[in-house]
Amino acid sequence: MSDMELAVTTYELSLFMHITAAVGGLGATFAEAITYATAVRLDPRHLPYKHSLQLAINKYLALPALVVLLATGLYQADEAGFELGRLWLVGAMSIVALLAVMIVAYFIPEDRRLQAIVGRDIAAFEGGEVT
């Protein structure tokens, strides 16, 4: 084996991670738009699964993606020599922070609440208990 250096810089790796987080982590949230209609069309008993799926997407894809976006974005801005006070950079960081707050303060608790309500209603309708 020869002593070859990697042709990928840390900046390029950061850019790859940044784009992957945006597409994969946040892109998955767009699928949430069709989960309700699909669950109801198939069978309303799928609604607890729909809320579990949205909870998992938000907790394990979207939230970590926002952390990666923020970290890699700050690294790239620093490497490119941008000052943190620039309007577009402050705006981008504000959007990431706002999305994170919305996920933690609204979407995750709301899906937990709706999952419990739907589970309770299905159990009452069927005269049994849904786990």
Side-chain angles (χ1 to χ4, degrees), residues 28-101:
T29 63
F30 288 94
E32 293 179 11
I34 62 170
T35 58
Y36 180 79
T38 303
V40 169
R41 184 173 38 90
L42 292 172
D43 188 332
R45 289 178 289 184
H46 292 301
L47 287 173
Y49 172 74
K50 173 245 189 245
H51 293 296
S52 293
L53 176 63
Q54 285 189 195
L55 193 58
I57 288 171
N58 287 322
K59 282 174 60 176
Y60 303 115
L61 291 176
L63 212 47
L66 289 172
V67 172
V68 171
L69 279 172
L70 183 62
T72 56
L74 287 171
Y75 171 77
Q76 291 164 31
D78 183 56
E79 284 291 305
F82 293 118
E83 296 174 18
L84 288 180
R86 297 190 77 165
L87 183 60
W88 67 269
L89 192 53
V90 170
M93 288 189 300
S94 298
I95 290 169
V96 168
L98 180 63
L99 287 172
V101 167

Side-chain angles (χ1 to χ4, degrees), residues 15-32:
L15 187 60
F16 171 78
M17 291 172 54
H18 189 82
I19 294 168
T20 302
V23 173
L26 299 181
T29 63
F30 288 94
E32 293 179 11

